[in-house]
Amino acid sequence: VTLPVLGLAEIRAVVTPRLIRDAVRDALIAHAEGRTQVPPPMHLDFPDARGDCHVKAGHVLGSPHFTVKVASGFYRNPSRGLASNNGVLLVLDATTGLPVAVLADEGWLTAWRTAAAGALITDALTPPEVREVGVLGTGLQARLQVEWLHALRPLAQVRIWGRHPEAAESLSAELRRAGIDAHAGSLAQAAGAPCVITATAATTALADASAFHSAVHVTAVGADMPGKNELPVALFGAAAVIATDDHVQCLDHGDFGNAVRAGATTADADTSVGAVLRDGVGRSGLSIADLTGIGAADAAVASAVLSAVP
Amino acid sequence: VTLPVLGLAEIRAVVTPRLIRDAVRDALIAHAEGRTQVPPPMHLDFPDARGDCHVKAGHVLGSPHFTVKVASGFYRNPSRGLASNNGVLLVLDATTGLPVAVLADEGWLTAWRTAAAGALITDALTPPEVREVGVLGTGLQARLQVEWLHALRPLAQVRIWGRHPEAAESLSAELRRAGIDAHAGSLAQAAGAPCVITATAATTALADASAFHSAVHVTAVGADMPGKNELPVALFGAAAVIATDDHVQCLDHGDFGNAVRAGATTADADTSVGAVLRDGVGRSGLSIADLTGIGAADAAVASAVLSAVP
């Protein structure tokens, strides 16, 4: 009757970026090919605690496991000495429905799979010679997006902008210690890079479309629930390629959906991230990747972790 | 970093029917008063394994916990020596979002809270002098509905019908050993009782409305996901009181919804189970209770279990 609980230390001991990246890549491609089951996420709000929570379930067809994941963000936690974000992932057997394990990953698997998805699609949609990246955001996900992309293509110049300049300085210093040429910069400098990554909890566009004047590719990972918005809708009107990790989710609560509702693009203008990862895409102007996070990636990552545990 | 897992034995050691019943009653009333948060459930299907799974989340406002529950039914399990139904309940802190405990209850908390909700509303809507009950269904939930109702009002004559007569005989014998005057009967005998409870996985009405000719109250607990149907739609047209545990869920996948879509009643014809439990209802003809199971009841039961654990 004992359901094993793997804590973060045990998970960290077996997880490698390659393990996560391969699992996420496979899941995104499976999702693009209709070989996944991903019900619409559930959201709960805790306004008194400045908290929100979403629940995502997923199954890659043919996989032995499916997962139900709870991810929370409670923004008063830091004042209690706790991390804002947390999470638990429940792994179940897809043949019997029995619970197999609990991954008490404190939200790290979500952070890593988001980093993996972002790095994979940014790398796939950014011309190989581009090494300059602008980053809007200074949190954990901003750091991971840079680090995981750097692992795929060494970056030459990273400009970090955040609402709090000291946070941008601090993240830049941290990245430099990791051997990445990163410096804090203005919003104009960061958004003006040829490759831009947004990883914020913004609820209105971070900059006008004109600020992205030199962009060949933009990846947005922050819009994970209704009400969030990072990119200006006009940018979607200018894009030659719009890649979404899940068409329905991105329409519902991604930046793509914001742009469609504003009439800047059409609901059928997107292609799937998985198809881009599988087939590549002929370059012709600006590309945008809108990531909302899919349950099938959680399921694939959980299976990979379980298969790696001794 | 250790997340406590309570197994079924530990849960059984602290759970009493009164504990569950009080928690469920409070949750149903809170839900009727808008003091809960219950997102639409998620469903997953595993056709190759004849399995389905639903995920329910819930929070009673002001409670220290919220829950995310996975309940599964995998109908090939018995051939492997496993129970068809299983479940896990994740309890989280409503102030910090942190996971508090995992209740690896093997689906029993769901079974008990369903039994409690059914017994409470059946007792509330059945005139006190009625002691004869007809039961359609022979599974665990059929047994629990009878036992938990018997604890509220001793039953004098219980007629059990099932598709498999030997299952009805077996359940009747089991109930008699528990001191309840139960016997297997025909569909006409069971449906013809003054108080009828349906607890099946049926996908079409179990009998015509005329079969319920003597009913003053009917409780249906089987329709827990889209595609299920126990009661004939015409019965709703004849009902003076229709009580639903959740208006939206019952419209979506309860027998009430089936009746509304068929035009036998209107979408505003129901009252909430919680309001009936709080205020009672003036009797005037047939009453029907349609229960789909609410996440807020799971949350209340989980909180009650945790507060009872030493």
Side-chain angles (χ1 to χ4, degrees):
Chain A
V1 209
T2 51
L3 179 63
V5 177
L6 298 186
L8 181 56
E10 291 156 281
I11 295 168
R12 272 190 195 279
V14 298
V15 157
T16 63
R18 171 172 291 274
L19 178 97
I20 302 282
R21 207 163 56 213
D22 289 351
V24 168
R25 188 177 195 279
D26 290 350
L28 286 164
I29 293 174
H31 192 58
E33 294 175 350
R35 294 185 288 107
T36 60
Q37 184 175 191
V38 179
M42 293 198 291
H43 297 286
L44 292 102
D45 283 302
F46 302 87
D48 291 350
R50 283 199 59 216
D52 59 59
C53 172
H54 35 254
V55 183
K56 288 185 176 170
H59 182 221
V60 178
L61 303 190
S63 158
H65 304 124
F66 67 103
T67 54
V68 176
K69 186 188 78 172
V70 183
S72 62
F74 278 66
Y75 303 101
R76 290 214 180 101
N77 280 1
S79 69
R80 301 163 187 256
L82 299 169
S84 294
N85 293 293
N86 214 296
V88 199
L89 213 152
L90 199 54
V91 185
L92 300 111
D93 186 307
T95 306
T96 64
L98 265 62
V100 172
V102 179
L103 304 184
D105 67 312
E106 303 176 27
W108 279 91
L109 290 173
T110 300
W112 292 329
R113 69 98 160 112
T114 305
L120 285 165
I121 193 63
T122 303
D123 186 50
L125 283 174
T126 304
E129 68 278 12
V130 173
R131 304 282 153 168
E132 277 184 80
V133 171
V135 180
L136 312 189
T138 58
L140 169 65
Q141 193 50 231
R143 173 164 73 80
L144 291 176
Q145 289 291 328
V146 174
E147 289 179 349
W148 289 53
L149 180 60
H150 185 70
L152 291 176
R153 69 166 69 197
L155 302 175
Q157 194 182 329
V158 178
R159 283 289 185 176
I160 312 235
W161 170 84
R163 290 181 200 279
H164 303 290
E166 66 282 7
E169 291 290 355
S170 161
L171 174 55
S172 302
E174 193 174 351
L175 290 169
R176 285 198 300 276
R177 284 193 295 274
I180 302 171
D181 173 25
H183 293 274
S186 65
L187 178 55
Q189 285 174 316
C195 172
V196 182
I197 298 165
T198 65
T200 70
T203 53
T204 55
L206 295 161
D208 285 341
S210 60
F212 300 83
H213 52 81
S214 300
V216 290
H217 177 69
V218 178
T219 290
V221 303
D224 57 354
M225 59 187 299
K228 294 201 179 167
N229 176 214
E230 297 191 293
L231 301 182
V233 297
L235 201 62
F236 284 84
V241 176
I242 299 169
T244 55
D245 59 354
D246 181 85
H247 177 72
V248 173
Q249 284 185 193
C250 288
L251 267 182
D252 179 65
H253 58 266
D255 269 329
F256 175 57
N258 293 326
V260 170
R261 282 185 292 280
T265 186
T266 57
D268 62 353
D270 63 322
T271 185
S272 70
V273 164
V276 172
L277 294 181
R278 186 191 56 201
D279 303 330
V281 65
R283 280 225 63 84
S284 59
L286 174 67
S287 56
I288 300 177
D290 184 19
L291 302 181
T292 51
I294 58 169
D298 298 321
V301 164
S303 274
V305 168
L306 285 190
S307 67
V309 169
Chain B
V1 208
T2 51
L3 179 62
V5 177
L6 298 186
L8 181 56
E10 293 157 280
I11 295 168
R12 272 191 194 279
V14 298
V15 157
T16 62
R18 170 172 291 275
L19 179 97
I20 303 281
R21 206 163 56 213
D22 288 352
V24 169
R25 187 175 196 280
D26 289 351
L28 286 165
I29 292 174
H31 192 58
E33 294 176 350
R35 294 185 287 108
T36 60
Q37 184 173 191
V38 179
M42 293 198 290
H43 298 285
L44 292 102
D45 283 301
F46 301 87
D48 292 349
R50 284 198 60 217
D52 58 58
C53 173
H54 36 254
V55 183
K56 289 185 175 171
H59 181 221
V60 178
L61 303 191
S63 158
H65 304 124
F66 68 103
T67 54
V68 176
K69 187 188 76 173
V70 183
S72 63
F74 278 65
Y75 303 101
R76 291 214 180 101
N77 280 1
S79 70
R80 300 163 188 256
L82 299 169
S84 293
N85 292 293
N86 214 296
V88 200
L89 212 151
L90 198 55
V91 186
L92 301 112
D93 186 307
T95 305
T96 64
L98 265 61
V100 171
V102 179
L103 304 185
D105 67 312
E106 302 175 29
W108 279 91
L109 290 174
T110 300
W112 292 329
R113 70 101 160 110
T114 306
L120 285 165
I121 192 63
T122 303
D123 186 51
L125 283 174
T126 303
E129 66 278 11
V130 173
R131 303 281 153 169
E132 277 182 81
V133 171
V135 179
L136 312 189
T138 58
L140 169 65
Q141 193 51 230
R143 172 164 75 78
L144 291 176
Q145 289 290 329
V146 174
E147 290 180 349
W148 290 53
L149 181 59
H150 184 70
L152 291 177
R153 69 166 69 195
L155 302 176
Q157 194 182 328
V158 178
R159 284 288 186 178
I160 312 239
W161 170 85
R163 290 182 199 280
H164 303 291
E166 65 283 7
E169 291 290 354
S170 162
L171 174 56
S172 302
E174 194 175 349
L175 289 169
R176 286 197 300 275
R177 284 194 294 276
I180 301 171
D181 173 24
H183 294 273
S186 65
L187 179 55
Q189 285 174 315
C195 172
V196 183
I197 299 165
T198 65
T200 70
T203 53
T204 55
L206 295 160
D208 285 342
S210 60
F212 299 83
H213 51 81
S214 300
V216 290
H217 177 71
V218 179
T219 291
V221 303
D224 57 354
M225 58 187 300
K228 295 201 177 166
N229 177 213
E230 297 191 293
L231 301 182
V233 298
L235 201 62
F236 284 85
V241 175
I242 299 170
T244 55
D245 59 354
D246 181 85
H247 177 72
V248 173
Q249 284 187 193
C250 288
L251 266 182
D252 179 66
H253 58 268
D255 270 327
F256 174 58
N258 293 326
V260 170
R261 282 185 293 279
T265 185
T266 57
D268 61 355
D270 63 321
T271 185
S272 71
V273 164
V276 172
L277 295 182
R278 186 190 56 201
D279 303 331
V281 66
R283 280 225 63 82
S284 57
L286 174 67
S287 56
I288 300 178
D290 184 19
L291 302 182
T292 51
I294 58 168
D298 299 321
V301 165
S303 274
V305 168
L306 286 190
S307 66
V309 168

